[in-house]
Amino acid sequence: MIEDFKKIYENRHNYMKAWKAKNPDWKVLGYMCSYMPEEILYAAKVLPIRWLGGHEPQNVTEPHIMGMFCPFCRDVLAQGLLGKYDYCDAIGITHTCKHINQAYESMILHRGVDHFFIPTPSKMQDKQALPYYAGILKIFKEQLENWTGKKITEDDLKRGIAIVDENRRLMRQVYETRKADNPPISGLDSMYMVTASQMYDKQEVNKIIADVIKNELPGRKAKNDPGIRLMILGSEDDDTAFINMVENCGSSLVIDDHCTGSRYFWNTTEPGNDLMSVIADRYLKRPPCPIKDMPNRTRIPHIQGLAKEWNVAGAIVIQQKFCDPHELDKVAIVNGLKAVDVPTLYLEFDVTVPIGPFRIRVEAFLETLGSEDLF
Amino acid sequence: MGIYKTEPLKCWGKAKELRLGVYEGIKKARDNGTMIVAGGTESAIALPAGFDMDFLGGEPYGASCAFAGIQDPSWNRGLMEASEAASYPRDMCAYMRIGIGSLLSDKFVFGGKYPVPTFNLQTHICDTHGKWYQIMSDIEGVPYNCVDYVPYEWETENESEESKRLKRVYMKDQMLDVIDWMEKVSGKKFDDEKFINAVNWECESTSLWAQCCMVNQAIPAVMDEKMMYSLYIIAVLMRQQKAAVEFYKVLLDELKDRAARGIAAFENEKFRMIHDSQPPWHNLQIFRYLEQFGAVSIGAHYSFSLSGGWAYDKEQDKYLPAKAPKEAGVTLKTREEACDWYSEWLLAYQTLLRSLRYSGRGKHKRIQDIIDNWKIDGMMIHLNRGCEGTAVGQMELRRYLADRGIPALTYEGNLADVREFDLERTIDKIDTFMETVGLTKIAK
């Protein structure tokens, strides 16, 4: 049921505690960025779950992180310091941005948890990145073997790849249905689906998605009137209150470019003999976080393509306050969308968003999209 | 009458001449239409040295604009506002915003129009760097490339040799590819001999700067930090040149002589401090204010290591000047060998860049090393809103020091954006800090 995604998202800790009790032969690793190679973790019988924020004011991170670091990294650290994820046996991160890496380092300094750092390349377009990253992933695999005390076989890796790729394929299938004039699933439920996939056992979530595709989506309309079709993109975003507000203002979010959305699952692995290279290649080729989109700008044609294929009238670009990676791409992305006649509304997010003022801005944006040119 | 004797540095004028010479060279190249390469100075600047070219480095250029803003706000506020008018967010890297503003305004702080380079080449040392020159190239319409930089982890993390090997090969192979790319976009032949010389000189000059910093362990310190900014900049701007090596040899001799004769940078040195992060370039007088209390900042992880080569010595459990190729008994003969050595140098010995990526236990260990060996009484941490690379881990560093009873002062500011610095408030914080460590102003 579509409602199950929301249940998992909202009750993530209860779900995981129950899951752990049922699966004593597995370990759980909490990760902080969507570049974590989950295939290898599934192969090692280590369940990867993504740490996201709690969207509540907190008072524990000020002594650890400077105020001008992004609210998301502070919210994630707060969850860790408050013990919300204490059922995790370890934490892990890949090199992405320094803000979230700071949250990871503070957790190590103050909670003494087992930890895994993967030095991912940043210049993912470079041909030299593949042999490097494949080698780094091999080291990560060996570290996991030492930690769990179990060898990871080729069959284990194939099983891990299959689980994660299945999740990606299913979610892509759901996203394809959103191309319809009246999409069968809302942007909010799509976000719940992706975040549930990040927060819970994919083997369980895959069953739910497959069931939704088969039994719920055919003939379904998420809303009687979808209103204006919008795209949303930018920083990490699981602000469900904001998404809900936008979709209740006469619009539907039909596509996104978020790491809690399409960026997370867009591509699957491609066949190959060396499985470490296969996995590395998948992450190098995924739609990149801005921090990894250089020297060429691949994000612009990708986002323009999404806007066209999903037939959007406008785009909401959100940025976590102080999120350098997305700030660095701000001008290029806004201009890129303008070049294909997609107007944008740019908003800055914090741990909680001011729904009232944001509603006014969204409504004004929708009004400009809905009105005909006067001259 | 102070506690110690003091005297000006003899090579001060030479440092100024070299520094200004870099920018004069860029102006000439701009006016004559010869080759300019732009990028960050904390990049692999020996790479483009295989061509006859002048290198325009973004960070020291930003610092120069910030400093020039003291006299003429258009070089600071004005350039920031030009960048913001073009929708670049105001909390991004302040050096980058000044660079963008300078380009968009078509103004060069050393005179005339902004010098548009033949191409931009960057090393991605922090999250911003690789993107910074992507933006510059967007605006300039010139080719762009970058070298990804994944430094070795700190010694505290017990990184495997295989991990280090992969990083080294990754960087070396990128460098080799970039050389081909530079030839293609410039249409010029890359000279291996020039490149190999540049690598040797870069390693030697940064090792020499580290040796100069070692001399500052003397009591009294022979350099204060404000003085160091005018000296380390030679390594920042032109460490790949023979002139930098020659300068640092002269400086090292002079510093050793000062230490032997007990010549102080500050005549009333009573309380030795170190600083963290870049200073607010527009308000360097805060360092002179410390002196009113007998306190002096005698260095920083930043100024020691930004263009310094430091190697960890396991037996002594200390950081010591790294050995340049010749000192290590290595002769670089080919482009491949030079790229390999250069990669190792940057990955292993560029400890400031390492701390931009890994800010936890390893950086604490290095700071503790400086505190112990440079006999430091307290620390001043610039919570730097203009450089998140150096700001990462600062709050944890403050906690680390507090847990060990090491006095630490934090002040918030911005290395280049004067609008984010409050001088009076900073002075108040210094006053309070001095009171807590029992220092009062020295009677004149």
Side-chain angles (χ1 to χ4, degrees), chain B residues 346-378:
Chain B
L346 296 171
L347 295 169
Y349 307 135
Q350 232 302 1
T351 52
L352 190 276
L353 302 190
R354 184 183 298 177
S355 64
L356 305 184
R357 287 283 175 88
Y358 318 124
S359 65
R361 293 170 299 200
K363 182 177 174 186
H364 296 172
K365 183 178 171 66
R366 173 53 169 151
I367 297 290
Q368 187 67 56
D369 175 78
I370 296 173
I371 288 169
D372 293 343
N373 294 302
W374 276 259
K375 304 154 196 93
I376 300 304
D377 302 303

Side-chain angles (χ1 to χ4, degrees), chain A residues 63-64 68 95 97-99 102 105-106 110 121-123 128 290-291 293-295 297 324 327 329, chain B residues 91-92 124 127 131 134 138 145-146 148 166 170 173 177 357-360 383 385 388 393 395-396 399:
Chain A
H64 303 282
M68 68 166 300
H95 175 75
C97 77
K98 54 195 162 236
H99 290 200
Q102 171 71 83
E105 291 198 348
S106 288
H110 300 288
S122 292
K123 195 184 175 193
Q128 308 299 347
I291 209 80
D293 194 31
M294 60 189 169
R297 291 194 181 277
D324 275 15
E327 288 183 335
D329 263 10
Chain B
D91 56 279
M92 294 194 303
H124 189 55
D127 293 351
K131 300 296 285 186
Q134 185 182 45
D138 284 349
N145 210 336
C146 61
D148 195 4
L166 286 164
Y170 177 43
D173 288 346
D177 290 345
R357 287 283 175 88
Y358 318 124
S359 65
L383 300 175
R385 297 174 67 89
E388 290 172 37
M395 297 302 286
E396 292 293 3
R399 282 179 68 103

Side-chain angles (χ1 to χ4, degrees), chain B residues 128-146:
Chain B
T128 299
H129 267 67
K131 300 296 285 186
W132 172 358
Y133 277 86
Q134 185 182 45
I135 293 171
M136 297 296 274
S137 281
D138 284 349
I139 302 168
E140 292 161 339
V142 302
Y144 172 56
N145 210 336
C146 61

Side-chain angles (χ1 to χ4, degrees), chain B residues 60-71:
Chain B
Y61 179 70
S64 298
C65 292
F67 189 76
I70 298 168
Q71 298 296 327

Side-chain angles (χ1 to χ4, degrees), chain B residues 91-386:
Chain B
D91 56 279
M92 294 194 303
C93 167
Y95 284 156
M96 181 181 80
R97 287 185 290 131
I98 276 195
I100 292 171
S102 193
L103 172 60
L104 291 172
S105 309
D106 200 15
K107 287 167 61 181
F108 189 51
V109 74
F110 295 96
K113 293 185 173 184
Y114 187 85
V116 175
T118 308
F119 59 83
N120 287 307
L121 177 66
Q122 180 64 293
T123 301
H124 189 55
I125 58 167
C126 79
D127 293 351
T128 299
H129 267 67
K131 300 296 285 186
W132 172 358
Y133 277 86
Q134 185 182 45
I135 293 171
M136 297 296 274
S137 281
D138 284 349
I139 302 168
E140 292 161 339
V142 302
Y144 172 56
N145 210 336
C146 61
V147 175
D148 195 4
Y149 175 75
V150 193
Y152 295 167
E153 293 189 50
W154 291 100
E155 291 68 26
T156 49
E157 308 306 307
N158 299 314
E159 184 173 15
S160 70
E161 289 306 312
E162 173 61 6
S163 175
K164 290 180 184 175
R165 186 192 68 79
L166 286 164
K167 289 175 179 178
R168 182 172 172 159
V169 170
Y170 177 43
M171 192 158 191
K172 180 198 77 176
D173 288 346
Q174 287 181 81
M175 286 182 179
L176 290 168
D177 290 345
V178 158
I179 291 171
D180 294 341
W181 175 86
M182 289 191 296
E183 283 192 321
K184 189 177 159 193
V185 299
S186 70
K188 295 180 188 299
K189 181 83 182 146
F190 187 82
D191 186 326
D192 283 340
E193 191 182 340
K194 284 182 179 169
F195 168 57
I196 291 167
N197 283 337
V199 172
N200 278 311
W201 290 326
E202 174 165 343
C203 297
E204 197 173 350
S205 57
T206 52
S207 174
L208 281 163
W209 173 244
Q211 292 173 50
C212 292
C213 295
M214 291 293 285
V215 181
N216 228 31
Q217 291 182 354
I219 296 177
V222 293
M223 295 182 283
D224 65 46
E225 196 178 3
K226 193 166 178 294
M227 185 190 277
M228 293 172 95
Y229 294 145
S230 298
L231 302 171
Y232 87 103
I233 194 67
I234 305 304
V236 172
L237 287 170
M238 50 184 291
R239 59 187 177 277
Q240 80 287 17
Q241 295 180 29
K242 192 177 182 184
V245 174
E246 288 168 350
F247 171 76
Y248 283 120
K249 282 180 178 169
V250 172
L251 175 65
L252 182 59
D253 287 344
E254 187 178 349
L255 295 177
K256 283 178 178 172
D257 175 62
R258 282 169 74 97
R261 294 189 293 119
I263 302 298
F266 169 50
E267 61 184 359
N268 287 313
E269 176 183 310
K270 284 195 294 186
F271 190 86
R272 291 160 69 93
M273 298 184 75
I274 48 172
H275 187 260
D276 189 59
S277 189
Q278 301 95 328
W281 295 111
H282 38 75
N283 274 283
L284 293 177
Q285 69 266 38
I286 58 171
F287 290 100
R288 290 287 171 254
Y289 188 70
L290 298 177
E291 294 175 359
Q292 294 187 27
F293 298 87
V296 58
S297 179
I298 63 148
H301 172 50
Y302 163 74
S303 43
F304 284 5
S305 316
L306 181 64
S307 288
W310 294 92
Y312 176 68
D313 184 300
K314 198 173 179 181
E315 281 181 18
Q316 298 185 62
D317 192 25
K318 281 181 182 175
Y319 291 88
L320 299 171
K323 288 180 181 172
K326 280 179 195 163
E327 201 186 347
V330 173
T331 305
L332 303 175
K333 292 177 191 151
T334 64
R335 178 189 296 187
E336 287 74 15
E337 285 175 2
C339 286
D340 189 45
W341 181 275
Y342 196 23
S343 299
E344 177 70 6
W345 188 265
L346 296 171
L347 295 169
Y349 307 135
Q350 232 302 1
T351 52
L352 190 276
L353 302 190
R354 184 183 298 177
S355 64
L356 305 184
R357 287 283 175 88
Y358 318 124
S359 65
R361 293 170 299 200
K363 182 177 174 186
H364 296 172
K365 183 178 171 66
R366 173 53 169 151
I367 297 290
Q368 187 67 56
D369 175 78
I370 296 173
I371 288 169
D372 293 343
N373 294 302
W374 276 259
K375 304 154 196 93
I376 300 304
D377 302 303
M379 187 159 187
M380 191 174 180
I381 301 173
H382 178 202
L383 300 175
N384 190 347
R385 297 174 67 89

